[in-house]
């Protein structure tokens, strides 16, 4: 600080000091204590400072406590559905071959057409035979020499039903003309009957290759020819020779052993089931069964049964 300034400041202090001294002595100035009460002036009784009322502070309005916050679980964002591993769909099972599931033959017919008399019957059977000759309804037409329709009498009371033509039948054009046919003729002879007393036909009219059993669809395609033959002939007794005609006529899947030697029925006509002549050629011991069956047939026809074995 400069000397001039210092001197000026000292002069000011002295002036103020003199002023205060004058003021205190004259009572013009009362110095106040720190805290608010003024110091008494000279000659004045000391004053008791009135208690200073502390301004009342209004009770603090207790702020309403906030409503208890319920512990609300914040809504969860929608969760994605759990990922479930879905097994890849396996390919649809392959249906078994039709030949394994389908019934061997369709349902039997329920009613016959009205009876026709002998002349008309023969004529209608010729018409049906012509249809079979031209038929190409199944694959068997491809390997045939000719269709094989029937042999015997269209007036017969007895109808023999076989399975299908073999090589000899395919060549000659008549059913049961091979080795099995010769056995059938011997059976007829033992029954004291001839071809004039019987009508003979197969379920299948064309020869299956290698003499295999006919397929269900082949039997379904060809069966109506046999149905029409039976309908026109209206025999008194039918003999089913072997599995194929038995299944076709009776729609039964039981074994031949269970079905053989018993009477069954096709459209109200008695049906007897017996071994096929080809089976008898391979199993000669079974001939006695068939002979017993033929006796039942004769009995049903009202013919006398020969005694002894065939
Ligand atoms: S087997 Fe019967 S359905 Fe098949 S082609 Fe010969 S006649 Fe026709």
């Amino acid at each position: 600080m400069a000397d001039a300034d210092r001197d000026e400041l000292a002069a000011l202090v002295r002036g103020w000091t003199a002023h205060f001294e004058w003021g205190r002595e004259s009572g013009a100035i009362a110095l106040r204590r720190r805290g608010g009460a003024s110091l008494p002036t000279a000659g004045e009784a000391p004053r008791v400072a009135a208690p200073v009322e502390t301004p009342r502070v209004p009770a603090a309005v207790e702020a309403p406590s906030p409503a208890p916050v319920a512990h609300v679980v914040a809504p969860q964002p929608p969760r994605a559905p759990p990922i479930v591993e879905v097994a890849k769909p396996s390919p649809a099972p392959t249906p078994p071959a039709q030949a394994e599931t389908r019934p061997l033959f369709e349902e039997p017919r329920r009613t016959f057409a009205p009876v026709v008399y002998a002349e008309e019957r023969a004529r209608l059977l010729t018409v049906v035979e012509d249809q079979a000759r031209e038929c190409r309804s199944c694959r068997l037409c491809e390997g045939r020499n000719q269709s094989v329709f029937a042999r015997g009498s269209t007036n017969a009371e007895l109808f023999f039903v076989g399975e299908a033509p073999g090589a000899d039948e395919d060549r000659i054009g008549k059913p049961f003309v091979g080795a099995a046919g010769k056995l059938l003729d011997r059976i007829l002879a033992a029954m004291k009957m001839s071809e004039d007393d019987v009508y003979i036909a197969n379920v299948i009219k064309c020869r299956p290759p290698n003499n295999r059993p006919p397929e269900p669809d082949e039997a379904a395609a060809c069966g109506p020819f046999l149905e029409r033959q039976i309908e026109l002939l209206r025999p008194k007794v039918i003999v089913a020779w072997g599995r194929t005609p038995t299944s076709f006529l009776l729609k039964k899947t039981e074994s031949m052993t269970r079905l053989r030697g018993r009477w069954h029925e096709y459209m109200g006509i008695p049906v007897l089931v017996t071994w096929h002549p080809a089976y008898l050629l391979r199993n000669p011991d079974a001939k006695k069964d068939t002979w017993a069956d033929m006796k039942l047939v004769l009995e049903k026809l009202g013919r006398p049964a020969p005694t002894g074995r065939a």
Side-chain angles (χ1 to χ4, degrees):
M1 182 183 291
D3 290 339
D5 294 334
R6 191 179 302 116
D7 291 339
E8 186 175 348
L9 181 60
L12 281 172
V13 170
R14 281 193 300 272
W16 276 105
T17 302
H19 176 74
F20 275 108
E21 283 297 329
W22 170 81
R24 190 176 64 87
E25 288 174 1
S26 66
I29 299 172
L31 294 176
R32 292 183 181 275
R33 295 177 187 272
R34 188 181 295 236
S38 62
L39 293 175
T41 58
E44 183 181 21
R47 293 175 292 174
V48 178
V52 177
E53 190 173 346
T54 306
R56 289 200 319 173
V57 177
V61 177
E62 197 169 334
S65 57
V69 178
H71 186 67
V72 177
V73 178
Q76 300 292 317
R79 288 187 185 178
I83 298 174
V84 178
E85 187 153 343
V86 178
K88 188 178 177 184
S90 54
T94 305
Q98 214 175 27
E100 295 171 22
T101 56
R102 280 181 40 182
L104 187 56
F105 298 106
E106 301 300 327
E107 284 298 305
R109 300 176 63 187
R110 297 283 177 220
T111 56
F112 275 142
V115 176
V116 293
Y117 293 100
E119 219 172 274
E120 180 66 356
R121 181 187 313 132
R123 188 188 71 78
L124 289 172
L125 282 168
T126 303
V127 171
V128 179
E129 184 173 2
D130 290 343
Q131 291 172 343
R133 189 176 295 114
E134 302 299 323
C135 177
R136 302 190 68 80
S137 295
C138 81
R139 64 184 76 83
L140 296 181
C141 68
E142 296 164 5
R144 72 184 176 200
N145 281 319
Q146 56 191 319
S147 63
V148 177
F149 192 68
R151 71 177 171 102
S153 170
T154 57
N155 298 318
E157 291 183 329
L158 180 59
F159 198 136
F160 281 176
V161 183
E163 180 178 280
D168 293 325
E169 289 79 13
D170 177 65
R171 179 170 50 83
I172 295 172
K174 292 197 176 296
F176 283 99
V177 293
K182 288 185 170 47
L183 176 56
L184 195 69
D185 289 342
R186 291 208 301 275
I187 293 171
L188 267 177
M191 296 168 75
K192 308 295 182 197
M193 298 176 81
S194 71
E195 190 174 303
D196 292 339
D197 300 309
V198 67
Y199 185 86
I200 305 171
N202 290 311
V203 176
I204 306 290
K205 308 304 187 202
C206 301
R207 181 194 179 203
N210 303 315
N211 295 339
R212 64 158 171 78
E215 298 288 348
D217 61 329
E218 295 163 354
C222 204
F225 288 121
L226 176 65
E227 290 174 341
R228 186 65 174 140
Q229 288 172 298
I230 296 173
E231 185 176 46
L232 289 170
L233 210 77
R234 212 69 60 89
K236 197 170 179 181
V237 171
I238 295 173
V239 176
W241 296 90
R243 162 57 60 189
T244 297
T246 299
S247 299
F248 180 78
L249 295 172
L250 306 182
K251 316 300 180 196
K252 291 182 178 177
T253 56
E254 296 160 76
S255 69
M256 281 292 292
T257 303
R258 290 180 61 87
L259 295 173
R260 201 221 101 243
R262 293 194 288 123
W263 286 108
H264 307 272
E265 205 173 271
Y266 170 79
M267 303 281 284
I269 301 172
V271 176
L272 192 95
V273 173
T274 194
W275 305 118
H276 192 280
Y279 175 83
L280 296 176
L281 290 173
R282 297 192 302 271
N283 302 276
D285 288 348
K287 288 181 180 175
K288 63 179 184 305
D289 296 337
T290 295
W291 182 236
D293 297 340
M294 294 306 108
K295 288 181 176 177
L296 292 174
V297 170
L298 289 169
E299 184 183 350
K300 187 70 82 178
L301 291 171
R303 290 172 173 250
T307 55
R309 296 188 55 169

